Amino acid sequence: SMSVAGGLQSLCWGASATGSLLSAYFSGSLLQVLRPRSIFGITAVMPLLVASIALQMTEEPLQARALSTGSDEIVDSQEDTINIQETIQQQTNQLWKAFQEPSIWKPALFLFLWQSTPTADGAFFFFLTNDLGLGPEFMGRVRFVTSLATLVGVALYNSFFKTV
């Protein structure tokens, strides 16, 4: 449902803002104490931890089921292959029909074009640091305030705007 989707979206934004907030807060002090190589090693721990946990997970293989009927009865391998092919074809047709709707393809086209065009982030960062002379401490504070504002926005959404 839409409320669950909004809740998951706000959870993702909140987690991202929390990580950004912590990294903005601790990055300057860590750089004074540790070398950049050590900080890189610390930041590499989380993806390695996620990968190691993922490798520890065991999944039981699905038994051959009649997918088109949704029943739990066991079917033979050839019937199962046919049902899987029918299901894939049905889902592909549904996806194609959905993508033909203007309310779907127009925003998708906009997002594609928007994300495929170059941005001025690198040039703007160069301007801020080299031309205006803003230092790493100030840039860290800006990132900290930005992350804090994102967390406030997530909290406001969850408290007041989730039901709108």
Side-chain angles (χ1 to χ4, degrees), residues 7-55:
L8 289 174
Q9 187 73 357
S10 68
L11 176 68
C12 290
W13 279 106
S16 174
T18 301
S20 183
L21 188 73
L22 290 174
S23 70
Y25 183 75
F26 289 115
S27 62
S29 60
L30 283 177
L31 276 173
Q32 291 176 354
V33 177
L34 301 172
R35 297 184 331 236
R37 186 179 201 113
S38 301
I39 293 174
F40 179 76
I42 291 170
T43 58
V45 168
M46 287 308 263
L48 288 174
L49 183 64
V50 170
S52 64
I53 290 172
L55 291 173

mmCIF file of all heavy atoms in Angstrom, residues 7-55:
data_model
loop_
_atom_site.group_PDB
_atom_site.id
_atom_site.type_symbol
_atom_site.label_atom_id
_atom_site.label_comp_id
_atom_site.label_asym_id
_atom_site.label_seq_id
_atom_site.Cartn_x
_atom_site.Cartn_y
_atom_site.Cartn_z
ATOM 1 N N GLY A 7 6.471 4.801 4.130
ATOM 2 C CA GLY A 7 7.249 4.482 5.316
ATOM 3 C C GLY A 7 8.615 3.918 4.965
ATOM 4 O O GLY A 7 9.630 4.265 5.585
ATOM 5 N N LEU A 8 8.664 3.045 3.964
ATOM 6 C CA LEU A 8 9.949 2.490 3.531
ATOM 7 C C LEU A 8 10.830 3.566 2.914
ATOM 8 O O LEU A 8 12.039 3.595 3.136
ATOM 9 C CB LEU A 8 9.723 1.353 2.531
ATOM 10 C CG LEU A 8 9.146 0.069 3.109
ATOM 11 C CD1 LEU A 8 8.840 -0.929 1.984
ATOM 12 C CD2 LEU A 8 10.091 -0.542 4.115
ATOM 13 N N GLN A 9 10.209 4.457 2.150
ATOM 14 C CA GLN A 9 10.971 5.548 1.539
ATOM 15 C C GLN A 9 11.551 6.462 2.614
ATOM 16 O O GLN A 9 12.718 6.857 2.541
ATOM 17 C CB GLN A 9 10.070 6.336 0.582
ATOM 18 C CG GLN A 9 10.781 7.372 -0.214
ATOM 19 C CD GLN A 9 11.654 6.803 -1.315
ATOM 20 O OE1 GLN A 9 11.792 5.612 -1.482
ATOM 21 N NE2 GLN A 9 12.264 7.686 -2.071
ATOM 22 N N SER A 10 10.752 6.791 3.614
ATOM 23 C CA SER A 10 11.260 7.654 4.679
ATOM 24 C C SER A 10 12.324 6.935 5.512
ATOM 25 O O SER A 10 13.266 7.561 5.999
ATOM 26 C CB SER A 10 10.120 8.158 5.563
ATOM 27 O OG SER A 10 9.549 7.105 6.292
ATOM 28 N N LEU A 11 12.193 5.618 5.660
ATOM 29 C CA LEU A 11 13.233 4.857 6.360
ATOM 30 C C LEU A 11 14.553 4.920 5.594
ATOM 31 O O LEU A 11 15.614 5.132 6.191
ATOM 32 C CB LEU A 11 12.791 3.400 6.538
ATOM 33 C CG LEU A 11 13.815 2.464 7.170
ATOM 34 C CD1 LEU A 11 14.044 2.839 8.631
ATOM 35 C CD2 LEU A 11 13.368 1.029 7.041
ATOM 36 N N CYS A 12 14.481 4.773 4.274
ATOM 37 C CA CYS A 12 15.700 4.851 3.457
ATOM 38 C C CYS A 12 16.340 6.239 3.536
ATOM 39 O O CYS A 12 17.550 6.366 3.706
ATOM 40 C CB CYS A 12 15.382 4.499 2.014
ATOM 41 S SG CYS A 12 14.992 2.765 1.762
ATOM 42 N N TRP A 13 15.508 7.292 3.411
ATOM 43 C CA TRP A 13 16.044 8.654 3.494
ATOM 44 C C TRP A 13 16.605 8.925 4.888
ATOM 45 O O TRP A 13 17.642 9.584 5.029
ATOM 46 C CB TRP A 13 14.964 9.683 3.150
ATOM 47 C CG TRP A 13 14.775 9.847 1.693
ATOM 48 C CD1 TRP A 13 13.735 9.383 0.944
ATOM 49 C CD2 TRP A 13 15.651 10.505 0.783
ATOM 50 N NE1 TRP A 13 13.912 9.716 -0.368
ATOM 51 C CE2 TRP A 13 15.079 10.415 -0.500
ATOM 52 C CE3 TRP A 13 16.859 11.163 0.920
ATOM 53 C CZ2 TRP A 13 15.680 10.947 -1.624
ATOM 54 C CZ3 TRP A 13 17.438 11.706 -0.208
ATOM 55 C CH2 TRP A 13 16.854 11.596 -1.455
ATOM 56 N N GLY A 14 15.932 8.427 5.913
ATOM 57 C CA GLY A 14 16.418 8.624 7.276
ATOM 58 C C GLY A 14 17.740 7.926 7.517
ATOM 59 O O GLY A 14 18.647 8.478 8.137
ATOM 60 N N ALA A 15 17.871 6.691 7.020
ATOM 61 C CA ALA A 15 19.131 5.962 7.180
ATOM 62 C C ALA A 15 20.259 6.649 6.426
ATOM 63 O O ALA A 15 21.384 6.775 6.931
ATOM 64 C CB ALA A 15 18.964 4.521 6.697
ATOM 65 N N SER A 16 19.960 7.112 5.220
ATOM 66 C CA SER A 16 20.975 7.823 4.437
ATOM 67 C C SER A 16 21.397 9.121 5.131
ATOM 68 O O SER A 16 22.589 9.442 5.202
ATOM 69 C CB SER A 16 20.426 8.125 3.042
ATOM 70 O OG SER A 16 21.323 8.921 2.322
ATOM 71 N N ALA A 17 20.415 9.861 5.647
ATOM 72 C CA ALA A 17 20.729 11.120 6.330
ATOM 73 C C ALA A 17 21.501 10.871 7.614
ATOM 74 O O ALA A 17 22.405 11.636 7.960
ATOM 75 C CB ALA A 17 19.447 11.891 6.623
ATOM 76 N N THR A 18 21.167 9.791 8.332
ATOM 77 C CA THR A 18 21.896 9.473 9.563
ATOM 78 C C THR A 18 23.353 9.141 9.257
ATOM 79 O O THR A 18 24.263 9.624 9.939
ATOM 80 C CB THR A 18 21.221 8.296 10.294
ATOM 81 O OG1 THR A 18 19.872 8.645 10.589
ATOM 82 C CG2 THR A 18 21.943 7.952 11.577
ATOM 83 N N GLY A 19 23.577 8.321 8.234
ATOM 84 C CA GLY A 19 24.955 8.000 7.834
ATOM 85 C C GLY A 19 25.714 9.230 7.387
ATOM 86 O O GLY A 19 26.887 9.422 7.737
ATOM 87 N N SER A 20 25.052 10.092 6.626
ATOM 88 C CA SER A 20 25.697 11.323 6.173
ATOM 89 C C SER A 20 25.982 12.257 7.338
ATOM 90 O O SER A 20 27.028 12.912 7.388
ATOM 91 C CB SER A 20 24.799 12.006 5.140
ATOM 92 O OG SER A 20 25.411 13.153 4.646
ATOM 93 N N LEU A 21 25.056 12.310 8.281
ATOM 94 C CA LEU A 21 25.231 13.148 9.468
ATOM 95 C C LEU A 21 26.430 12.669 10.293
ATOM 96 O O LEU A 21 27.273 13.473 10.707
ATOM 97 C CB LEU A 21 23.955 13.106 10.312
ATOM 98 C CG LEU A 21 23.851 14.045 11.488
ATOM 99 C CD1 LEU A 21 23.626 15.461 10.992
ATOM 100 C CD2 LEU A 21 22.692 13.625 12.373
ATOM 101 N N LEU A 22 26.518 11.361 10.505
ATOM 102 C CA LEU A 22 27.635 10.816 11.278
ATOM 103 C C LEU A 22 28.965 11.019 10.556
ATOM 104 O O LEU A 22 29.965 11.383 11.178
ATOM 105 C CB LEU A 22 27.399 9.326 11.555
ATOM 106 C CG LEU A 22 26.275 9.008 12.529
ATOM 107 C CD1 LEU A 22 26.041 7.505 12.601
ATOM 108 C CD2 LEU A 22 26.585 9.568 13.906
ATOM 109 N N SER A 23 28.964 10.809 9.242
ATOM 110 C CA SER A 23 30.226 10.993 8.521
ATOM 111 C C SER A 23 30.631 12.463 8.466
ATOM 112 O O SER A 23 31.816 12.784 8.544
ATOM 113 C CB SER A 23 30.136 10.406 7.113
ATOM 114 O OG SER A 23 29.279 11.175 6.313
ATOM 115 N N ALA A 24 29.650 13.361 8.358
ATOM 116 C CA ALA A 24 29.987 14.787 8.361
ATOM 117 C C ALA A 24 30.508 15.222 9.720
ATOM 118 O O ALA A 24 31.423 16.035 9.815
ATOM 119 C CB ALA A 24 28.768 15.616 7.978
ATOM 120 N N TYR A 25 29.934 14.662 10.777
ATOM 121 C CA TYR A 25 30.340 15.055 12.122
ATOM 122 C C TYR A 25 31.723 14.518 12.473
ATOM 123 O O TYR A 25 32.545 15.226 13.046
ATOM 124 C CB TYR A 25 29.307 14.556 13.138
ATOM 125 C CG TYR A 25 29.598 14.976 14.549
ATOM 126 C CD1 TYR A 25 29.376 16.288 14.962
ATOM 127 C CD2 TYR A 25 30.120 14.082 15.467
ATOM 128 C CE1 TYR A 25 29.649 16.686 16.248
ATOM 129 C CE2 TYR A 25 30.392 14.474 16.762
ATOM 130 C CZ TYR A 25 30.156 15.770 17.147
ATOM 131 O OH TYR A 25 30.428 16.157 18.429
ATOM 132 N N PHE A 26 31.986 13.265 12.114
ATOM 133 C CA PHE A 26 33.234 12.638 12.525
ATOM 134 C C PHE A 26 34.363 12.756 11.507
ATOM 135 O O PHE A 26 35.504 12.460 11.824
ATOM 136 C CB PHE A 26 33.007 11.151 12.838
ATOM 137 C CG PHE A 26 32.229 10.937 14.104
ATOM 138 C CD1 PHE A 26 30.979 10.352 14.059
ATOM 139 C CD2 PHE A 26 32.745 11.323 15.323
ATOM 140 C CE1 PHE A 26 30.259 10.154 15.215
ATOM 141 C CE2 PHE A 26 32.028 11.132 16.492
ATOM 142 C CZ PHE A 26 30.781 10.547 16.439
ATOM 143 N N SER A 27 34.065 13.179 10.280
ATOM 144 C CA SER A 27 35.103 13.159 9.254
ATOM 145 C C SER A 27 36.255 14.098 9.573
ATOM 146 O O SER A 27 37.421 13.741 9.410
ATOM 147 C CB SER A 27 34.518 13.485 7.884
ATOM 148 O OG SER A 27 33.975 14.790 7.878
ATOM 149 N N GLY A 28 35.962 15.296 10.031
ATOM 150 C CA GLY A 28 37.035 16.234 10.336
ATOM 151 C C GLY A 28 37.907 15.780 11.491
ATOM 152 O O GLY A 28 39.138 15.825 11.418
ATOM 153 N N SER A 29 37.262 15.304 12.558
ATOM 154 C CA SER A 29 38.047 14.865 13.719
ATOM 155 C C SER A 29 38.828 13.594 13.415
ATOM 156 O O SER A 29 39.943 13.418 13.908
ATOM 157 C CB SER A 29 37.136 14.656 14.931
ATOM 158 O OG SER A 29 36.165 13.683 14.648
ATOM 159 N N LEU A 30 38.261 12.718 12.597
ATOM 160 C CA LEU A 30 39.004 11.515 12.238
ATOM 161 C C LEU A 30 40.204 11.832 11.362
ATOM 162 O O LEU A 30 41.249 11.196 11.486
ATOM 163 C CB LEU A 30 38.078 10.516 11.519
ATOM 164 C CG LEU A 30 37.126 9.729 12.401
ATOM 165 C CD1 LEU A 30 36.232 8.844 11.556
ATOM 166 C CD2 LEU A 30 37.885 8.894 13.407
ATOM 167 N N LEU A 31 40.066 12.804 10.479
ATOM 168 C CA LEU A 31 41.199 13.172 9.628
ATOM 169 C C LEU A 31 42.347 13.777 10.429
ATOM 170 O O LEU A 31 43.502 13.706 10.025
ATOM 171 C CB LEU A 31 40.764 14.144 8.535
ATOM 172 C CG LEU A 31 40.165 13.509 7.298
ATOM 173 C CD1 LEU A 31 39.626 14.564 6.354
ATOM 174 C CD2 LEU A 31 41.186 12.627 6.590
ATOM 175 N N GLN A 32 42.029 14.379 11.568
ATOM 176 C CA GLN A 32 43.092 14.936 12.412
ATOM 177 C C GLN A 32 43.834 13.836 13.163
ATOM 178 O O GLN A 32 44.996 13.989 13.494
ATOM 179 C CB GLN A 32 42.506 15.931 13.399
ATOM 180 C CG GLN A 32 42.005 17.191 12.739
ATOM 181 C CD GLN A 32 41.329 18.141 13.713
ATOM 182 O OE1 GLN A 32 41.131 17.807 14.878
ATOM 183 N NE2 GLN A 32 40.975 19.320 13.232
ATOM 184 N N VAL A 33 43.149 12.721 13.441
ATOM 185 C CA VAL A 33 43.745 11.652 14.229
ATOM 186 C C VAL A 33 44.315 10.544 13.349
ATOM 187 O O VAL A 33 45.381 10.013 13.635
ATOM 188 C CB VAL A 33 42.689 11.066 15.199
ATOM 189 C CG1 VAL A 33 43.246 9.903 15.995
ATOM 190 C CG2 VAL A 33 42.174 12.144 16.128
ATOM 191 N N LEU A 34 43.599 10.190 12.277
ATOM 192 C CA LEU A 34 43.989 9.062 11.428
ATOM 193 C C LEU A 34 44.437 9.534 10.052
ATOM 194 O O LEU A 34 44.120 10.634 9.625
ATOM 195 C CB LEU A 34 42.807 8.090 11.271
ATOM 196 C CG LEU A 34 42.247 7.479 12.547
ATOM 197 C CD1 LEU A 34 40.980 6.700 12.235
ATOM 198 C CD2 LEU A 34 43.268 6.571 13.205
ATOM 199 N N ARG A 35 45.137 8.644 9.367
ATOM 200 C CA ARG A 35 45.525 8.910 7.986
ATOM 201 C C ARG A 35 44.344 8.606 7.068
ATOM 202 O O ARG A 35 43.456 7.820 7.409
ATOM 203 C CB ARG A 35 46.700 8.019 7.598
ATOM 204 C CG ARG A 35 47.955 8.267 8.406
ATOM 205 C CD ARG A 35 49.091 7.408 7.876
ATOM 206 N NE ARG A 35 48.612 6.163 7.275
ATOM 207 C CZ ARG A 35 48.998 4.955 7.650
ATOM 208 N NH1 ARG A 35 49.862 4.813 8.612
ATOM 209 N NH2 ARG A 35 48.537 3.880 7.051
ATOM 210 N N PRO A 36 44.287 9.218 5.876
ATOM 211 C CA PRO A 36 43.188 8.931 4.937
ATOM 212 C C PRO A 36 43.064 7.451 4.582
ATOM 213 O O PRO A 36 41.972 6.943 4.401
ATOM 214 C CB PRO A 36 43.547 9.762 3.699
ATOM 215 C CG PRO A 36 44.367 10.883 4.232
ATOM 216 C CD PRO A 36 45.131 10.314 5.400
ATOM 217 N N ARG A 37 44.194 6.759 4.514
ATOM 218 C CA ARG A 37 44.150 5.323 4.195
ATOM 219 C C ARG A 37 43.425 4.546 5.291
ATOM 220 O O ARG A 37 42.666 3.618 5.011
ATOM 221 C CB ARG A 37 45.567 4.807 3.996
ATOM 222 C CG ARG A 37 45.618 3.398 3.520
ATOM 223 C CD ARG A 37 47.070 2.946 3.310
ATOM 224 N NE ARG A 37 47.075 1.825 2.424
ATOM 225 C CZ ARG A 37 47.565 1.818 1.213
ATOM 226 N NH1 ARG A 37 48.137 2.891 0.731
ATOM 227 N NH2 ARG A 37 47.528 0.747 0.465
ATOM 228 N N SER A 38 43.629 4.913 6.542
ATOM 229 C CA SER A 38 42.944 4.250 7.649
ATOM 230 C C SER A 38 41.444 4.530 7.614
ATOM 231 O O SER A 38 40.633 3.639 7.875
ATOM 232 C CB SER A 38 43.516 4.713 8.985
ATOM 233 O OG SER A 38 44.888 4.442 9.062
ATOM 234 N N ILE A 39 41.085 5.748 7.294
ATOM 235 C CA ILE A 39 39.661 6.106 7.204
ATOM 236 C C ILE A 39 39.006 5.344 6.066
ATOM 237 O O ILE A 39 37.874 4.864 6.191
ATOM 238 C CB ILE A 39 39.494 7.628 7.046
ATOM 239 C CG1 ILE A 39 39.954 8.314 8.333
ATOM 240 C CG2 ILE A 39 38.049 7.992 6.730
ATOM 241 C CD1 ILE A 39 39.970 9.801 8.273
ATOM 242 N N PHE A 40 39.719 5.205 4.953
ATOM 243 C CA PHE A 40 39.188 4.411 3.848
ATOM 244 C C PHE A 40 38.959 2.972 4.288
ATOM 245 O O PHE A 40 37.950 2.356 3.935
ATOM 246 C CB PHE A 40 40.137 4.464 2.654
ATOM 247 C CG PHE A 40 39.660 3.658 1.485
ATOM 248 C CD1 PHE A 40 38.644 4.126 0.673
ATOM 249 C CD2 PHE A 40 40.220 2.420 1.210
ATOM 250 C CE1 PHE A 40 38.188 3.390 -0.395
ATOM 251 C CE2 PHE A 40 39.778 1.673 0.143
ATOM 252 C CZ PHE A 40 38.761 2.153 -0.658
ATOM 253 N N GLY A 41 39.876 2.431 5.051
ATOM 254 C CA GLY A 41 39.712 1.063 5.566
ATOM 255 C C GLY A 41 38.499 0.940 6.472
ATOM 256 O O GLY A 41 37.765 -0.054 6.411
ATOM 257 N N ILE A 42 38.266 1.960 7.295
ATOM 258 C CA ILE A 42 37.092 1.935 8.181
ATOM 259 C C ILE A 42 35.809 1.964 7.362
ATOM 260 O O ILE A 42 34.857 1.225 7.644
ATOM 261 C CB ILE A 42 37.154 3.117 9.173
ATOM 262 C CG1 ILE A 42 38.291 2.910 10.168
ATOM 263 C CG2 ILE A 42 35.829 3.280 9.908
ATOM 264 C CD1 ILE A 42 38.580 4.130 11.025
ATOM 265 N N THR A 43 35.775 2.800 6.333
ATOM 266 C CA THR A 43 34.559 2.893 5.519
ATOM 267 C C THR A 43 34.352 1.647 4.665
ATOM 268 O O THR A 43 33.227 1.378 4.242
ATOM 269 C CB THR A 43 34.582 4.129 4.604
ATOM 270 O OG1 THR A 43 35.722 4.068 3.761
ATOM 271 C CG2 THR A 43 34.599 5.397 5.417
ATOM 272 N N ALA A 44 35.404 0.888 4.409
ATOM 273 C CA ALA A 44 35.263 -0.340 3.628
ATOM 274 C C ALA A 44 34.711 -1.486 4.458
ATOM 275 O O ALA A 44 34.280 -2.494 3.900
ATOM 276 C CB ALA A 44 36.611 -0.728 3.026
ATOM 277 N N VAL A 45 34.695 -1.330 5.772
ATOM 278 C CA VAL A 45 34.222 -2.411 6.643
ATOM 279 C C VAL A 45 32.734 -2.686 6.440
ATOM 280 O O VAL A 45 32.314 -3.847 6.388
ATOM 281 C CB VAL A 45 34.525 -2.081 8.127
ATOM 282 C CG1 VAL A 45 33.807 -3.016 9.067
ATOM 283 C CG2 VAL A 45 36.019 -2.143 8.367
ATOM 284 N N MET A 46 31.915 -1.645 6.306
ATOM 285 C CA MET A 46 30.470 -1.851 6.198
ATOM 286 C C MET A 46 30.077 -2.664 4.958
ATOM 287 O O MET A 46 29.334 -3.636 5.086
ATOM 288 C CB MET A 46 29.727 -0.521 6.240
ATOM 289 C CG MET A 46 29.724 0.090 7.627
ATOM 290 S SD MET A 46 29.147 -1.053 8.871
ATOM 291 C CE MET A 46 27.470 -0.563 8.999
ATOM 292 N N PRO A 47 30.541 -2.320 3.751
ATOM 293 C CA PRO A 47 30.188 -3.179 2.611
ATOM 294 C C PRO A 47 30.703 -4.611 2.770
ATOM 295 O O PRO A 47 30.032 -5.555 2.374
ATOM 296 C CB PRO A 47 30.843 -2.486 1.415
ATOM 297 C CG PRO A 47 31.029 -1.086 1.835
ATOM 298 C CD PRO A 47 31.230 -1.112 3.308
ATOM 299 N N LEU A 48 31.883 -4.775 3.349
ATOM 300 C CA LEU A 48 32.395 -6.125 3.586
ATOM 301 C C LEU A 48 31.539 -6.874 4.589
ATOM 302 O O LEU A 48 31.304 -8.078 4.452
ATOM 303 C CB LEU A 48 33.849 -6.064 4.066
ATOM 304 C CG LEU A 48 34.878 -5.666 3.016
ATOM 305 C CD1 LEU A 48 36.253 -5.500 3.650
ATOM 306 C CD2 LEU A 48 34.928 -6.693 1.902
ATOM 307 N N LEU A 49 31.049 -6.160 5.599
ATOM 308 C CA LEU A 49 30.171 -6.777 6.586
ATOM 309 C C LEU A 49 28.861 -7.223 5.943
ATOM 310 O O LEU A 49 28.396 -8.344 6.177
ATOM 311 C CB LEU A 49 29.897 -5.782 7.725
ATOM 312 C CG LEU A 49 29.052 -6.276 8.880
ATOM 313 C CD1 LEU A 49 29.757 -7.406 9.613
ATOM 314 C CD2 LEU A 49 28.769 -5.130 9.828
ATOM 315 N N VAL A 50 28.284 -6.377 5.113
ATOM 316 C CA VAL A 50 27.049 -6.729 4.411
ATOM 317 C C VAL A 50 27.279 -7.931 3.502
ATOM 318 O O VAL A 50 26.460 -8.858 3.453
ATOM 319 C CB VAL A 50 26.512 -5.523 3.609
ATOM 320 C CG1 VAL A 50 25.383 -5.928 2.690
ATOM 321 C CG2 VAL A 50 26.051 -4.430 4.549
ATOM 322 N N ALA A 51 28.391 -7.941 2.771
ATOM 323 C CA ALA A 51 28.690 -9.056 1.877
ATOM 324 C C ALA A 51 28.897 -10.349 2.654
ATOM 325 O O ALA A 51 28.418 -11.412 2.247
ATOM 326 C CB ALA A 51 29.920 -8.743 1.029
ATOM 327 N N SER A 52 29.591 -10.285 3.775
ATOM 328 C CA SER A 52 29.817 -11.504 4.557
ATOM 329 C C SER A 52 28.523 -12.029 5.160
ATOM 330 O O SER A 52 28.311 -13.241 5.226
ATOM 331 C CB SER A 52 30.875 -11.264 5.635
ATOM 332 O OG SER A 52 30.418 -10.320 6.569
ATOM 333 N N ILE A 53 27.646 -11.140 5.593
ATOM 334 C CA ILE A 53 26.345 -11.584 6.115
ATOM 335 C C ILE A 53 25.516 -12.202 4.994
ATOM 336 O O ILE A 53 24.850 -13.223 5.189
ATOM 337 C CB ILE A 53 25.603 -10.417 6.784
ATOM 338 C CG1 ILE A 53 26.317 -10.036 8.086
ATOM 339 C CG2 ILE A 53 24.147 -10.772 7.071
ATOM 340 C CD1 ILE A 53 25.784 -8.783 8.738
ATOM 341 N N ALA A 54 25.559 -11.608 3.816
ATOM 342 C CA ALA A 54 24.808 -12.148 2.678
ATOM 343 C C ALA A 54 25.313 -13.534 2.305
ATOM 344 O O ALA A 54 24.522 -14.407 1.923
ATOM 345 C CB ALA A 54 24.911 -11.206 1.484
ATOM 346 N N LEU A 55 26.604 -13.766 2.404
ATOM 347 C CA LEU A 55 27.145 -15.079 2.081
ATOM 348 C C LEU A 55 26.765 -16.123 3.121
ATOM 349 O O LEU A 55 26.735 -17.317 2.820
ATOM 350 C CB LEU A 55 28.672 -15.006 1.934
ATOM 351 C CG LEU A 55 29.178 -14.243 0.712
ATOM 352 C CD1 LEU A 55 30.692 -14.102 0.768
ATOM 353 C CD2 LEU A 55 28.741 -14.941 -0.565
#
